[in-house]
Every structure is written in structure tokens, then in C-alpha cells.
Amino acid sequence: MKTINEEIVEWAKKYVPIFNELSTKYQTPYYTQSPLSVLENHVDCMIIGINPKGELGTGSSVFENPENFLEGNPDWSSRFCEDGTISPNWGKGHRYLPDTHFFLGYDSFYHPESIDNDKKTIWTNLTPFVSDNGNNDVLRELMSEGIKSTLELIKIVKPKYIVLLGKEAFAQLKKNSGDAESSIQYSHVFSNVDAQIGYIFDIPTVCVRHPAGSWEVSKLFIPMFIFLHKMTVILKNRSPHVNMIEYMRNEMTLWQKKVSKTCNS
């Protein structure tokens, strides 16, 4: 039986030649985010953004050795300072790293036990090809091929939980999933909120707006939505009959009805 690492190397050998050709064709660099070469077992969480920040048409990336691609973003190891704070280079601009930490209930410090442990959490994107403005300017072919590779990667690493950053992510995955379309299921929980929940290959998945965009409802809504979904997943595992969407809706209604805004003391 093949190890996780062996399967990932085979995955890279399949897709890197395709990515090299597309990178040369469109003169657009590509890279993955956290290193995949360190993975030894299935992971706890997979965080999937849209694509790396960069400019289309600025040159090509050609990995002669597919395993070099698996080493990830060359700057990934320097994302934290020695004191555990997020590096200014990663904390400015769109604030992707600190805001994603916040979405998942963490502060802006290094958490090697969980979210920042590259053996337990994968940080990646729908597509490895760069663009300046995410979905708005990434080329269709680059997104499509990237999504195919990401779906295959999910099958290999089998995360316990998936976080999609980008309100169209579920739809994009389903559109480019080919024969796996039926394995991607999702629904909105609230009619006037973009956040969605669902499953990818039976893996519980939550989809929220990207940190670079405007957040929904309030500063705390997205972290609360993700936490409520995680707790509902736990309940679902205990009692398979639980309807997750209805449970989350009912819980929100209970908060509104039963929690008083005033205090008698």
C-alpha cells in the first residue's frame, strides 16, 4: 500500500507537467502554498483560498523536478517572526494569514499544535496560478486545471474538515469536478448570507467570503458561523438523523428569542 507521501509525489508528477505547459503558454507563474512534501498522514484541516497573489503575464514557472513544486511557497517558512507574531510581509495588504486565523478562532500568533502545523493543516488554493484580483482576472483554463488538481489532492490527503475562502468556491469546484460532481454538495444556511455548508467527498466543508473581500454581517459573524458549523458536525456524527441546515437555523433563532439584551444586575 502506498504512503500518503508517495501518492502526493505521483499527483505532482501528473500535474506539474500540465502546469509547466500552461505557465509557459500564458507566461504566468504558479506555486502551491504550505509544503506538501512534509505530509505523512491524513490531515485535520485543509484551507483553500482562490489563488496566490501575483501578476498575470509576468513570466513562467517551470519545475523540472515535480517534487520541487511540493516544497510550497518559498516564503512560507518566514511567515512568522521569532516572537511568534505574523511577519509584516504577511500581515499587511489583504491580511490573508491573520484574518484566516481569526475566521477559525485563532489569534495572530504561531500555533504549531494545529493551524500552523504543516503536517496537520494544508493551506492551498483552488488554482496555483497567480493573479492580481482572484476570480476577477485569473484565466479560465488556469482555474479549471487547478481545481482538477485540488480535488484530486483532497482525495489523497482526506482532511477531516475543509474551509473554502471565496463565496463562489463551492460552485467553481462543482463546475470543474467532472465525474465527481455528485460528490460535491452544498447549500446556503440563510437566504440573505453568502456563507454555505456542505460536503466534498463526504468531508464536512464550510464556505465563507475571502478575507480580502468585505466580511458578512459583522466582524464576528464568520468565526461564529464556522464554529456553529463545526459543532453541528459533531452532533451529526453522534446522531446521523440531524439536519444540519435546520439545526443551524434553529440555533440562531433560539439565540434571538432566548438571549436578553438587558441585564438585571
Side-chain angles (χ1 to χ4, degrees), residues 45-207:
C45 183
M46 191 170 186
I47 301 167
I48 305 176
I50 300 171
N51 65 329
K53 186 77 169 178
E55 293 186 26
L56 292 163
T58 55
S60 61
S61 298
V62 176
F63 291 92
E64 294 183 3
N65 182 353
E67 293 183 357
N68 291 341
F69 170 70
L70 298 177
E71 295 175 3
N73 184 343
D75 295 326
W76 188 250
S77 61
S78 61
R79 67 196 187 282
F80 290 97
C81 301
E82 290 185 4
D83 63 359
T85 58
I86 293 176
S87 166
N89 294 328
W90 284 83
K92 63 184 180 181
H94 56 67
R95 292 181 51 82
Y96 173 71
L97 191 61
D99 286 348
T100 303
H101 265 224
F102 183 75
F103 281 4
L104 296 175
Y106 292 85
D107 56 25
S108 294
F109 284 86
Y110 181 48
H111 288 274
E113 79 288 349
S114 54
I115 192 174
D116 299 310
N117 185 326
D118 294 332
K119 292 184 178 182
K120 293 184 176 181
T121 301
I122 293 174
W123 294 68
T124 189
N125 292 288
L126 294 177
T127 179
F129 290 94
V130 308
S131 74
D132 185 55
N133 199 19
N135 280 322
N136 294 320
D137 59 351
V138 67
L139 300 177
R140 183 177 299 177
E141 187 175 11
L142 302 184
M143 177 60 79
S144 176
E145 289 301 320
I147 287 177
K148 291 175 185 176
S149 73
T150 299
L151 287 171
E152 288 198 25
L153 181 62
I154 291 172
K155 287 183 179 180
I156 294 171
V157 301
K158 296 180 175 63
K160 296 176 183 176
Y161 192 73
I162 298 173
V163 179
L164 302 176
L165 301 173
K167 63 182 182 180
E168 302 296 333
F170 260 131
Q172 288 176 288
L173 286 164
K174 197 171 184 70
K175 180 180 179 181
N176 293 280
S177 58
D179 294 339
E181 182 179 359
S182 61
S183 298
I184 301 172
Q185 304 162 0
Y186 65 97
S187 298
H188 287 83
V189 179
F190 308 110
S191 61
N192 62 338
V193 172
D194 288 328
Q196 304 147 56
I197 65 170
Y199 290 91
I200 299 175
F201 304 125
D202 294 324
I203 300 165
T205 304
V206 66
C207 178

